[in-house]
Amino acid sequence: MIDPQVKQRLVEIVGENWVLDQPEELVAYSYDSTPMYQELPDIVVLPKTTEEVAKVMKIAYENNIPVVPRGSATNLSGGTVPLKGGLVLALNRMNQILEIDEENLTATVQPGVITQELHQAVEAKGLFYPPDPGSLRISTIGGNIAENAGGLRGLKYGVTKDYVIALEAVLPNGDILHTGGKLAKDVAGYDLTKLLIGSEGTLAVITKATLKLLPLPETKRTMLAIFKDLTDAARAVSKIIANKIIPVTLEFMDNATINVVEDYVKIGLPRDVEAILLMEQDGSKDQVDRDIEKMAEICRQEQAVSVQVANTAKEAEQLMTARRMALSALARLKPTTILEDATVPRSQLAPMVETIKNVAKKYNLMICTFGHAGDGNLHPTCLTDVRNTDEIKRVEKAFDEIYEKTIELGGTITGEHGVGIAKAGYLEWKVGQSGIEVMKGIKKAFDPKGILNPGKLFTDQPRKRVVIQS
Ligand SMILES: Cc1cc2nc3c(=O)[nH]c(=O)nc-3n(C[C@H](O)[C@H](O)[C@H](O)COP(=O)(O)OP(=O)(O)OC[C@H]3O[C@@H](n4cnc5c(N)ncnc54)[C@H](O)[C@@H]3O)c2cc1C
């Protein structure tokens, strides 16, 4: 419950249209794209400028009000669920592309800019902003930075952190921090830009970002290879890279996903194969043609039962359909879709997929796996029903085993979706006790009162390590 005088001060800062506290308004800000987490905020504030954000934070700080920064709430780790109530700071009105600097190859944007809108604006000038999360039609740049979002082009171009060179952010006490600059080099002190990237709204509110741009690649081609055997597909992935080809996209779907997609879109995918690889290459026309030819040859050598190369944009679009439709096809099967994010070194892809398959069988669960094979980033997706408490217990045990194996293979508990609430119990598995202590120290330095996105990243109830019986 927010004190009426505090509400009045917030109204004076942003205007009464931009302070919401009616029950039906609060419900809309009580959840995000992560199943199973929901909590009502006490109030929602939609600022328009950095100065407004700073004033709102000062009030929250004085009054010990929890604040949850929010973009489009597409995150998959419970990051914008206001666990402790308080104030949701929705940054969607700060949606201006402030500058595209063609000399320095940078774009400076407000946090509420939609990712795809930035892509379109820079591409119209022959420039390129590579990070492309699957949610790009609705996700915001602020949310992408706070989650260090990846995407389909990550293998060749990296992830969001590789493109953020300067930030403006408001600290929990309302002070404004500037980091980095339009600089190719900058080693002045600790790298606060990188520290804020992936900080999941727990350290500061990002109010402006300067992003690095590249020249738009001349051309792009797409191909799809189908494998009867999973290990053949995994070998093809390794061999492509070993041949010094870094495709822009190298995506994977397992048998369960292939069948669900085929049920949904009926595009003639074979049902008895273990893996599909979808590959794209971009660059100069000659280089792309050479790489695509070589990738096709490698897939054939590794026993692909079919290799299709698109010759037109329309054909490429058709080949991409299967991968684009994967999540929608899966989500329609059961009421609850739990999309996980296990990531291993690329060379461990086959044992990881095999483990997921065995664990699903052991716990009698439907888990379909797809993901960014080139990055070793898999999305084992469990189709379940949150009302079935017995099944949900089995889901938890299954993911304990999956994450145990991920760590054993040298992997991580999240490659791109963040820790939030959903993975907080596993964080120590990856970073150890000393990692947790250092992270808590950093949190305290930025946010001594613990008002910014409380209840995220850290938990009092870590998951117990499991012993996997083979
Ligand atoms: C269908 C689908 C596909 C997806 N595909 C991908 C994918 O390919 N790759 C990938 O990495 N992710 C993917 N995601 C996850 C999600 O889209 C990303 O994490 C995205 O970056 C979140 O952006 P958002 O604007 O929705 O942020 P939100 O969900 O609103 O917020 C995410 C986190 O950032 C914090 N935050 C938001 N804005 C700010 C700010 N201005 N300052 C400080 N903190 C802030 C929030 O507090 C929260 O912790 C997908 C999600 C869906 C639903």
Side-chain angles (χ1 to χ4, degrees), residues 11 41 111 123 128 154 202 312 370 390 407 462:
V11 166
E123 283 169 26
F128 186 37
T202 63
T312 61
F370 63 96
D390 171 62
I407 298 291

Short mmCIF file of all heavy atoms in Angstrom, two decimals, residues 11 41 111 123 128 154 202 312 370 390 407 462:
data_model
loop_
_atom_site.label_atom_id
_atom_site.label_comp_id
_atom_site.label_asym_id
_atom_site.label_seq_id
_atom_site.Cartn_x
_atom_site.Cartn_y
_atom_site.Cartn_z
N VAL A 11 2.54 11.62 -8.82
CA VAL A 11 1.66 12.25 -9.82
C VAL A 11 2.25 13.60 -10.24
O VAL A 11 2.26 13.95 -11.43
CB VAL A 11 0.22 12.42 -9.26
CG1 VAL A 11 -0.60 13.36 -10.12
CG2 VAL A 11 -0.45 11.05 -9.12
N PRO A 41 1.85 -5.42 -7.84
CA PRO A 41 2.55 -4.23 -7.33
C PRO A 41 1.55 -3.36 -6.58
O PRO A 41 0.34 -3.58 -6.67
CB PRO A 41 3.02 -3.55 -8.61
CG PRO A 41 2.02 -3.94 -9.65
CD PRO A 41 1.50 -5.31 -9.27
N PRO A 111 15.57 3.47 -23.28
CA PRO A 111 15.44 2.03 -22.98
C PRO A 111 14.18 1.37 -23.51
O PRO A 111 14.14 0.16 -23.71
CB PRO A 111 15.45 2.00 -21.44
CG PRO A 111 14.99 3.35 -21.03
CD PRO A 111 15.52 4.30 -22.06
N GLU A 123 18.90 -0.33 -40.34
CA GLU A 123 19.03 -1.00 -41.66
C GLU A 123 18.64 -0.05 -42.80
O GLU A 123 19.19 -0.14 -43.90
CB GLU A 123 18.20 -2.30 -41.67
CG GLU A 123 18.93 -3.41 -40.90
CD GLU A 123 18.10 -4.65 -40.62
OE1 GLU A 123 17.15 -4.90 -41.39
OE2 GLU A 123 18.42 -5.36 -39.64
N PHE A 128 23.68 -2.09 -39.21
CA PHE A 128 23.28 -3.39 -38.71
C PHE A 128 23.47 -3.43 -37.20
O PHE A 128 24.57 -3.13 -36.70
CB PHE A 128 24.21 -4.42 -39.39
CG PHE A 128 23.90 -5.87 -39.14
CD1 PHE A 128 22.60 -6.35 -39.04
CD2 PHE A 128 24.96 -6.78 -39.03
CE1 PHE A 128 22.36 -7.70 -38.83
CE2 PHE A 128 24.72 -8.13 -38.83
CZ PHE A 128 23.41 -8.58 -38.73
N GLY A 154 23.76 -15.02 -32.64
CA GLY A 154 24.80 -14.93 -31.60
C GLY A 154 26.11 -15.61 -31.97
O GLY A 154 27.18 -15.15 -31.57
N THR A 202 18.67 -5.06 -11.06
CA THR A 202 18.94 -5.12 -9.62
C THR A 202 19.95 -4.06 -9.17
O THR A 202 20.13 -3.88 -7.97
CB THR A 202 19.49 -6.50 -9.20
OG1 THR A 202 20.75 -6.71 -9.85
CG2 THR A 202 18.53 -7.63 -9.55
N THR A 312 15.91 -18.53 -53.06
CA THR A 312 15.23 -17.23 -53.08
C THR A 312 14.86 -16.86 -51.64
O THR A 312 14.88 -17.72 -50.75
CB THR A 312 13.91 -17.30 -53.88
OG1 THR A 312 13.06 -18.26 -53.21
CG2 THR A 312 14.14 -17.73 -55.31
N PHE A 370 14.96 -27.48 -28.43
CA PHE A 370 15.43 -26.77 -29.61
C PHE A 370 16.42 -25.71 -29.11
O PHE A 370 16.58 -25.56 -27.90
CB PHE A 370 14.27 -26.14 -30.39
CG PHE A 370 13.52 -25.09 -29.62
CD1 PHE A 370 13.83 -23.74 -29.75
CD2 PHE A 370 12.52 -25.44 -28.73
CE1 PHE A 370 13.14 -22.77 -29.03
CE2 PHE A 370 11.83 -24.48 -28.00
CZ PHE A 370 12.14 -23.15 -28.15
N ASP A 390 1.59 -33.00 -8.75
CA ASP A 390 2.48 -34.16 -8.79
C ASP A 390 3.46 -34.02 -9.97
O ASP A 390 4.66 -34.23 -9.84
CB ASP A 390 1.64 -35.44 -8.90
CG ASP A 390 2.53 -36.63 -9.17
OD1 ASP A 390 3.37 -36.90 -8.30
OD2 ASP A 390 2.40 -37.26 -10.24
N ILE A 407 26.20 -28.47 -15.56
CA ILE A 407 27.39 -28.00 -14.83
C ILE A 407 28.52 -29.01 -15.02
O ILE A 407 29.67 -28.64 -15.28
CB ILE A 407 27.07 -27.80 -13.32
CG1 ILE A 407 25.99 -26.72 -13.14
CG2 ILE A 407 28.33 -27.48 -12.53
CD1 ILE A 407 26.40 -25.31 -13.46
N PRO A 462 18.52 -22.24 -1.72
CA PRO A 462 19.18 -22.78 -2.91
C PRO A 462 18.77 -24.22 -3.17
O PRO A 462 18.45 -24.95 -2.23
CB PRO A 462 20.67 -22.69 -2.56
CG PRO A 462 20.74 -22.48 -1.10
CD PRO A 462 19.45 -21.93 -0.63
#
